[in-house]
Amino acid sequence: MKVKNITAKIQVYTIEECDSLKKKLIEAAKEATTRAYAPYSKFHVGAALLLENGEIVTGSNQENAAYPTTLCAERTAIFYANSQYPDLAVKSIAIAAFADGDFTEESCAPCGSCRQVISEVENRFGKPVSVIMYGKKHIYEVSSIQDLLPLSFGKENLPEN
Ligand code: THU
């Protein structure tokens, strides 16, 4: 038997270390938390996408009394961007979360379903999507979703694709 080790490269930095574009994207994600509809969890998530034409598109989590029908901020933003601009690749996604009167100390990481959707976006446009996970204590960034979703399932796993 062989053992395969998988490593992920995660950059760790603070807001002070960001260039102006990254600051702008993170600010857009933070601002998007104010538009979350989260009466059940009271966990307000915002996502901001940087498209390849420089445009920033945001989304927030949209909850439902039938809990499983809730949609995360990341997927709200991605599905909106892909339906409005089907030919524009996504370069980056920044994520922030606000709960109990403040932004979270820890970085807000995307859930498994959102990782799968971001992976599809990478495959669709053939370009990596960097994921910026904001936290007051530190910001985590990966240069591709593959760092957060190793051995991902994609079209290559389907027959005749
Ligand atoms: N949520 C997101 O919007 N994004 C994530 O990546 C994690 C979870 C939302 C879903 C739900 O409305 C609330 O946060 C609590 O799980």
Coordinates of all heavy atoms in Angstrom, one line a residue, residues 37-78:
Y37 N -30.4 37.5 4.7 CA -31.7 37.2 5.3 C -31.5 36.0 6.2 O -31.4 34.8 5.7 CB -32.8 37.0 4.2 CG -34.1 36.6 4.8 CD1 -34.9 37.4 5.6 CD2 -34.6 35.3 4.5 CE1 -36.1 37.1 6.1 CE2 -35.9 34.9 5.0 CZ -36.6 35.8 5.8 OH -37.8 35.4 6.4
A38 N -31.2 36.2 7.5 CA -30.8 35.1 8.3 C -31.6 35.2 9.7 O -30.9 35.2 10.7 CB -29.3 35.1 8.5
P39 N -32.9 35.2 9.6 CA -33.7 35.3 10.9 C -33.6 34.1 11.8 O -33.9 34.1 12.9 CB -35.1 35.5 10.4 CG -35.2 34.9 9.1 CD -33.8 35.1 8.5
Y40 N -33.1 32.9 11.2 CA -33.1 31.7 12.0 C -31.8 31.5 12.6 O -31.7 31.3 13.8 CB -33.5 30.5 11.0 CG -34.9 30.8 10.4 CD1 -35.0 31.1 9.1 CD2 -36.0 30.8 11.2 CE1 -36.2 31.5 8.5 CE2 -37.3 31.1 10.6 CZ -37.4 31.5 9.3 OH -38.6 31.8 8.8
S41 N -30.7 31.5 11.8 CA -29.4 31.3 12.4 C -28.8 32.6 13.0 O -27.9 32.5 13.8 CB -28.4 30.8 11.3 OG -28.1 31.8 10.4
K42 N -29.2 33.7 12.5 CA -28.6 35.0 12.9 C -27.2 35.1 12.6 O -26.4 35.8 13.2 CB -28.9 35.3 14.4 CG -30.4 35.4 14.6 CD -30.8 35.9 16.0 CE -32.3 36.1 16.2 NZ -33.2 35.2 15.5
F43 N -26.8 34.3 11.6 CA -25.4 34.3 11.1 C -25.4 34.9 9.7 O -25.9 34.3 8.8 CB -24.9 32.8 11.1 CG -23.4 32.6 10.9 CD1 -22.5 33.0 11.9 CD2 -22.9 32.1 9.7 CE1 -21.1 32.8 11.7 CE2 -21.5 31.9 9.5 CZ -20.7 32.3 10.5
H44 N -24.9 36.1 9.6 CA -25.0 36.9 8.4 C -23.8 36.8 7.6 O -22.7 37.2 8.0 CB -25.3 38.3 8.7 CG -26.6 38.5 9.5 ND1 -27.7 39.3 9.0 CD2 -27.0 38.1 10.7 CE1 -28.6 39.2 9.9 NE2 -28.2 38.5 11.0
V45 N -23.9 36.1 6.4 CA -22.7 35.9 5.6 C -22.8 36.7 4.3 O -23.9 36.9 3.7 CB -22.6 34.4 5.2 CG1 -21.3 34.1 4.5 CG2 -22.7 33.5 6.5
G46 N -21.6 37.3 3.9 CA -21.5 38.0 2.7 C -20.4 37.4 1.8 O -19.4 37.0 2.3
A47 N -20.7 37.5 0.5 CA -19.6 37.0 -0.4 C -19.5 38.0 -1.5 O -20.5 38.6 -2.0 CB -20.0 35.6 -1.0
A48 N -18.3 38.3 -1.9 CA -18.0 39.2 -3.1 C -17.2 38.5 -4.1 O -16.1 38.0 -3.7 CB -17.4 40.5 -2.5
L49 N -17.6 38.6 -5.3 CA -16.8 38.0 -6.4 C -16.2 39.1 -7.2 O -16.8 40.1 -7.5 CB -17.8 37.2 -7.4 CG -18.7 36.2 -6.8 CD1 -19.5 35.6 -8.0 CD2 -18.0 35.1 -6.1
L50 N -14.9 38.8 -7.6 CA -14.2 39.7 -8.5 C -14.3 39.0 -9.9 O -13.7 37.9 -10.0 CB -12.8 39.9 -8.1 CG -11.9 40.8 -9.1 CD1 -12.5 42.2 -9.2 CD2 -10.5 40.8 -8.6
L51 N -15.0 39.6 -10.8 CA -15.1 39.0 -12.2 C -13.9 39.5 -13.0 O -13.2 40.4 -12.7 CB -16.4 39.4 -12.9 CG -17.6 39.1 -12.0 CD1 -18.9 39.5 -12.8 CD2 -17.7 37.6 -11.6
E52 N -13.6 38.8 -14.1 CA -12.4 39.0 -14.9 C -12.5 40.4 -15.6 O -11.4 40.9 -16.0 CB -12.1 37.9 -15.9 CG -13.1 37.7 -17.0 CD -12.7 36.6 -17.9 OE1 -11.6 36.1 -17.8 OE2 -13.6 36.2 -18.7
N53 N -13.6 41.1 -15.7 CA -13.7 42.4 -16.2 C -13.5 43.5 -15.1 O -13.7 44.7 -15.4 CB -15.0 42.6 -17.0 CG -16.2 42.6 -16.1 OD1 -16.1 42.3 -14.9 ND2 -17.3 43.1 -16.6
G54 N -13.3 43.0 -13.9 CA -13.1 44.0 -12.8 C -14.3 44.3 -12.0 O -14.2 44.9 -10.9
E55 N -15.4 43.8 -12.5 CA -16.7 44.0 -11.8 C -16.8 43.2 -10.5 O -16.3 42.1 -10.4 CB -17.9 43.7 -12.7 CG -19.2 44.1 -12.1 CD -20.2 44.4 -13.2 OE1 -19.9 44.6 -14.3 OE2 -21.4 44.3 -12.8
I56 N -17.4 43.8 -9.5 CA -17.6 43.1 -8.2 C -19.1 42.8 -8.1 O -19.9 43.7 -8.2 CB -17.1 43.9 -7.0 CG1 -15.5 43.9 -7.0 CG2 -17.5 43.3 -5.7 CD1 -14.9 44.8 -6.0
V57 N -19.4 41.5 -7.8 CA -20.8 41.1 -7.6 C -20.9 40.5 -6.2 O -20.0 39.7 -5.8 CB -21.2 40.0 -8.7 CG1 -22.5 39.3 -8.3 CG2 -21.2 40.6 -10.1
T58 N -21.9 40.8 -5.5 CA -22.0 40.3 -4.1 C -23.3 39.4 -3.9 O -24.2 39.5 -4.7 CB -22.1 41.4 -3.1 OG1 -23.3 42.2 -3.3 CG2 -20.9 42.3 -3.2
G59 N -23.3 38.7 -2.9 CA -24.4 37.9 -2.5 C -24.4 37.7 -1.0 O -23.4 37.9 -0.3
S60 N -25.6 37.3 -0.4 CA -25.6 37.0 1.0 C -26.5 35.8 1.2 O -27.2 35.4 0.3 CB -26.2 38.3 1.7 OG -27.5 38.6 1.1
N61 N -26.4 35.2 2.4 CA -27.2 34.0 2.7 C -28.7 34.4 2.8 O -29.1 35.4 3.3 CB -26.7 33.2 3.9 CG -26.6 34.0 5.2 OD1 -26.3 35.2 5.1 ND2 -26.8 33.3 6.3
Q62 N -29.5 33.5 2.2 CA -30.9 33.7 2.1 C -31.6 32.4 2.8 O -31.6 31.4 2.2 CB -31.4 33.8 0.7 CG -30.7 35.0 0.0 CD -31.1 36.4 0.6 OE1 -32.2 36.6 0.9 NE2 -30.1 37.3 0.8
E63 N -32.1 32.6 4.0 CA -32.6 31.5 4.7 C -34.1 31.3 4.5 O -34.8 32.2 3.9 CB -32.3 31.7 6.2 CG -30.9 31.7 6.5 CD -30.5 31.7 8.0 OE1 -31.4 31.9 8.9 OE2 -29.3 31.5 8.3
N64 N -34.6 30.2 5.0 CA -36.0 29.8 4.8 C -36.5 29.1 6.0 O -35.7 28.3 6.6 CB -36.1 29.0 3.5 CG -37.5 28.8 3.0 OD1 -38.4 28.2 3.6 ND2 -37.8 29.6 2.0
A65 N -37.8 29.2 6.3 CA -38.4 28.5 7.4 C -38.2 27.0 7.2 O -38.1 26.2 8.2 CB -39.8 28.9 7.6
A66 N -38.2 26.6 6.0 CA -37.9 25.2 5.6 C -36.4 25.1 5.5 O -35.8 25.4 4.4 CB -38.6 24.8 4.3
Y67 N -35.7 24.9 6.6 CA -34.2 25.2 6.7 C -33.4 24.7 5.5 O -32.5 25.5 5.0 CB -33.7 24.6 8.0 CG -34.2 25.2 9.2 CD1 -33.9 24.5 10.5 CD2 -34.9 26.3 9.3 CE1 -34.4 25.1 11.7 CE2 -35.4 26.8 10.5 CZ -35.1 26.2 11.7 OH -35.6 26.7 12.8
P68 N -33.6 23.5 5.0 CA -32.6 23.0 3.9 C -32.7 23.8 2.6 O -31.8 23.7 1.8 CB -33.0 21.6 3.7 CG -33.9 21.2 4.9 CD -34.5 22.4 5.3
T69 N -33.8 24.6 2.5 CA -33.9 25.4 1.2 C -33.0 26.7 1.2 O -33.0 27.4 0.3 CB -35.3 25.7 0.9 OG1 -35.9 26.5 1.9 CG2 -36.1 24.5 0.6
T70 N -32.4 26.9 2.4 CA -31.5 28.1 2.5 C -30.4 28.0 1.5 O -29.9 27.0 1.1 CB -30.9 28.1 3.9 OG1 -31.9 28.4 4.9 CG2 -29.8 29.0 4.1
L71 N -30.0 29.2 1.0 CA -28.9 29.3 0.1 C -27.8 30.1 0.7 O -28.0 31.2 1.2 CB -29.3 29.8 -1.3 CG -28.2 29.5 -2.4 CD1 -28.1 28.0 -2.6 CD2 -28.6 30.2 -3.7
C72 N -26.6 29.6 0.7 CA -25.4 30.3 1.2 C -25.1 31.5 0.4 O -25.4 31.6 -0.8 CB -24.2 29.4 1.2 SG -24.2 28.0 2.4
A73 N -24.3 32.4 1.1 CA -23.9 33.7 0.4 C -23.1 33.4 -0.9 O -23.3 34.1 -1.9 CB -23.1 34.5 1.4
E74 N -22.2 32.4 -0.8 CA -21.3 32.2 -1.9 C -22.0 31.7 -3.1 O -21.8 32.2 -4.2 CB -20.3 31.1 -1.5 CG -19.4 31.4 -0.4 CD -19.9 31.0 1.0 OE1 -21.1 31.2 1.2 OE2 -19.1 30.6 1.8
R75 N -23.0 30.8 -2.9 CA -23.7 30.3 -4.1 C -24.7 31.3 -4.6 O -25.0 31.4 -5.8 CB -24.4 29.0 -3.7 CG -23.5 27.8 -3.9 CD -24.1 26.5 -3.4 NE -24.3 26.5 -2.0 CZ -25.1 25.7 -1.3 NH1 -25.9 24.9 -2.0 NH2 -25.2 25.7 0.0
T76 N -25.3 32.1 -3.7 CA -26.2 33.2 -4.1 C -25.4 34.1 -5.1 O -25.9 34.5 -6.2 CB -26.7 34.0 -2.9 OG1 -27.3 33.2 -2.0 CG2 -27.7 35.1 -3.4
A77 N -24.2 34.5 -4.7 CA -23.3 35.4 -5.5 C -22.9 34.7 -6.8 O -23.0 35.3 -7.9 CB -22.1 35.8 -4.7
I78 N -22.5 33.5 -6.7 CA -22.0 32.8 -7.9 C -23.1 32.6 -8.9 O -23.0 32.8 -10.1 CB -21.3 31.5 -7.6 CG1 -20.0 31.7 -6.9 CG2 -21.1 30.6 -8.8 CD1 -19.4 30.5 -6.2

